[in-house]
C-alpha cells in the first residue's frame, strides 16, 4: 500500500512541477513589472466599438502592435490581473519615437523597455497586458553554434536533415521532417520545397545550428537566386511526437529571407 502511495505522490509532484515550468514568470504590476520583455513584434487590427467582435460587421478597426512572447507569463498585483491566466501576447503602446521603431522592426525578435504596465480593463485592451514602449532594440541570441557531436541526441539532427534535403532539392524528404499537419501548407509542402530550393543558383547551405533550449534553435544559412544572395538566420521550434523530433515552425529573424 505504501508503495502505491509513493507512486501516486511522485506522479502528482511531477504534474505540479510540469505546470510550474510551463507557467513561466509571473510579474507583479504593483512593482511596475515587467519593465523589459523580448519577443516578436507583430501588427494586428483589432475590432473596436460598438461590439469589439468583427471589423467586417461594423466594428471600428483598432490597429495595434503586439509582442509575441516565446514563453507564457502571468500577472499579479492588480484587481484586473489573474495569476492563473498565462498568456504569450502583449499589447504595445508606442510613443512618437518608438512607434516608428516598432514599424521598422516588424516581424523581428526584439527587446522592449516598458513603462506603465497594466492589466486589460476595457474593450480597447485586447491582450491581458498593455504597456508603453520607451525603447526598443533587436534581440540577439546568446546561444553558441553547436559542434557536430553536440547535436547527437537532440532535435538538431532533424533540423540538419531538413536543410540537407533542401540543399539537394529533395522536398519530400524535407517535408517529412515537419509535423504532419503542416506538410500540406504552402511553406512546407513537398512540391513547393522541391521547386524553390531545387531551382536555386547556389543551393542552400546550413552554416550552423545554435541551441537555445530543448525545442528552440537558431539556424544560420545561405543560398542564392538569380537576383539576390540570402545570408540569414531563422528561429526553428521543434516538438516531439511518438519519441521522434519534428519541426513545428520556422521564423526568419531580423528581416531575413
Amino acid at each position: 500500500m505504501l508503495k502505491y502511495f509513493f507512486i501516486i505522490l511522485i506522479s502528482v509532484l511531477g504534474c505540479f512541477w510540469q505546470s510550474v515550468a510551463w507557467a513561466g514568470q509571473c510579474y507583479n504590476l504593483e512593482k511596475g513589472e515587467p519593465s523589459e520583455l523580448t519577443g516578436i513584434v507583430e501588427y494586428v487590427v483589432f475590432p473596436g466599438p460598438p461590439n469589439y467582435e468583427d471589423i467586417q460587421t461594423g466594428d471600428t478597426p483598432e490597429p495595434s502592435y503586439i509582442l509575441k512572447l516565446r514563453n507564457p507569463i502571468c500577472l499579479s498585483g492588480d484587481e484586473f490581473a489573474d495569476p492563473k491566466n498565462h498568456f504569450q501576447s502583449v499589447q504595445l503602446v508606442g510613443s512618437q519615437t518608438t512607434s516608428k521603431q516598432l514599424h521598422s522592426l516588424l516581424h523581428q525578435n526584439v527587446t522592449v523597455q516598458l513603462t506603465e504596465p497594466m492589466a486589460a480593463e476595457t474593450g480597447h485592451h485586447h491582450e491581458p497586458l498593455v504597456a508603453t514602449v520607451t525603447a526598443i532594440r533587436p534581440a540577439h541570441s546568446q546561444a553558441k553554434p553547436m559542434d557536430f557531436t553536440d547535436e547527437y541526441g537532440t532535435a538538431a539532427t532533424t533540423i540538419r536533415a531538413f536543410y540537407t534535403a533542401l540543399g539537394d532539392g529533395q522536398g519530400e524528404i524535407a517535408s517529412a521532417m515537419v509535423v504532419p499537419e503542416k506538410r500540406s501548407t504552402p511553406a512546407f509542402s513537398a512540391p513547393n520545397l522541391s521547386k524553390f530550393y531545387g531551382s536555386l543558383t547556389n543551393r542552400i547551405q546550413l552554416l550552423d545550428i545554435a541551441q537555445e533550449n530543448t525545442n528552440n534553435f537558431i539556424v544560420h544559412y545561405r543560398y542564392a537566386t538569380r537576383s539576390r544572395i540570402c545570408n540569414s538566420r531563422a528561429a526553428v521550434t521543434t516538438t516531439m511526437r511518438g519519441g521522434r523530433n519534428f519541426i513545428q515552425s520556422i521564423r526568419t529573424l531580423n528581416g531575413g529571407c
Side-chain angles (χ1 to χ4, degrees), residues 183-246:
R183 292 174 192 168
S184 60
T185 63
F188 293 117
S189 75
N192 287 355
L193 292 176
S194 294
K195 182 178 180 180
F196 178 80
Y197 290 98
S199 64
L200 293 174
T201 303
N202 290 329
R203 69 179 190 174
I204 190 168
Q205 291 181 299
L206 180 62
L207 302 179
D208 60 64
I209 305 175
Q211 185 174 21
E212 293 192 312
N213 53 49
T214 302
N215 296 317
N216 294 291
F217 299 80
I218 302 296
V219 298
H220 181 197
Y221 57 88
R222 179 174 58 211
Y223 67 81
T225 65
R226 292 182 180 180
S227 59
R228 65 172 177 169
I229 296 175
C230 176
N231 189 342
S232 191
R233 297 180 185 275
V236 181
T237 300
T238 64
T239 186
M240 185 167 283
R241 304 277 180 86
R244 307 177 71 201
N245 290 300
F246 293 89

Side-chain angles (χ1 to χ4, degrees), residues 36 116 147 187 196:
E36 180 180 287
E116 301 177 354
D147 291 331
F196 178 80

Side-chain angles (χ1 to χ4, degrees), residues 3-250:
K3 175 183 176 182
Y4 292 112
F5 169 77
F6 280 115
I7 291 174
I8 294 172
L9 179 61
I10 290 171
S11 299
V12 170
L13 288 175
C15 293
F16 170 77
W17 287 115
Q18 185 179 21
S19 65
V20 169
W22 177 85
Q25 187 166 356
C26 205
Y27 294 98
N28 189 337
L29 293 172
E30 283 187 327
K31 297 180 179 179
E33 297 173 349
S35 60
E36 180 180 287
L37 289 172
T38 297
I40 305 296
V41 178
E42 300 290 356
Y43 180 84
V44 179
V45 180
F46 293 106
N51 298 315
Y52 302 92
E53 293 178 353
D54 192 336
I55 296 167
Q56 292 178 285
T57 59
D59 287 338
T60 302
E62 294 191 340
S64 178
Y65 292 102
I66 62 172
L67 189 70
K68 290 283 190 179
L69 307 176
R70 171 158 287 178
N71 297 311
I73 63 173
C74 61
L75 299 174
S76 64
D78 183 271
E79 63 176 313
F80 294 99
D82 180 5
K84 297 179 181 179
N85 178 28
H86 303 98
F87 57 92
Q88 290 178 261
S89 293
V90 178
Q91 187 172 347
L92 302 177
V93 179
S95 64
Q96 277 190 329
T97 302
T98 58
S99 289
K100 294 179 181 179
Q101 292 176 314
L102 286 167
H103 179 75
S104 66
L105 293 171
L106 198 61
H107 311 308
Q108 297 185 36
N109 193 37
V110 302
T111 297
V112 292
Q113 301 290 327
L114 303 172
T115 188
E116 301 177 354
M118 62 182 296
E121 297 181 11
T122 74
H124 299 288
H125 300 156
H126 301 282
E127 301 294 353
L129 173 63
V130 181
T132 300
V133 179
T134 58
I136 181 172
R137 66 180 187 276
H140 301 288
S141 172
Q142 301 300 313
K144 296 181 179 180
M146 304 172 75
D147 291 331
F148 192 76
T149 54
D150 291 337
E151 298 178 12
Y152 295 170
T154 74
T157 55
T158 298
I159 296 171
R160 182 168 295 280
F162 174 81
Y163 282 96
T164 299
L166 292 183
D168 291 332
Q170 301 297 315
E172 186 173 351
I173 295 175
S175 185
M177 300 297 116
V178 179
V179 290
E181 63 269 22
K182 291 190 175 181
R183 292 174 192 168
S184 60
T185 63
F188 293 117
S189 75
N192 287 355
L193 292 176
S194 294
K195 182 178 180 180
F196 178 80
Y197 290 98
S199 64
L200 293 174
T201 303
N202 290 329
R203 69 179 190 174
I204 190 168
Q205 291 181 299
L206 180 62
L207 302 179
D208 60 64
I209 305 175
Q211 185 174 21
E212 293 192 312
N213 53 49
T214 302
N215 296 317
N216 294 291
F217 299 80
I218 302 296
V219 298
H220 181 197
Y221 57 88
R222 179 174 58 211
Y223 67 81
T225 65
R226 292 182 180 180
S227 59
R228 65 172 177 169
I229 296 175
C230 176
N231 189 342
S232 191
R233 297 180 185 275
V236 181
T237 300
T238 64
T239 186
M240 185 167 283
R241 304 277 180 86
R244 307 177 71 201
N245 290 300
F246 293 89
I247 292 173
Q248 179 74 44
S249 65
I250 299 176

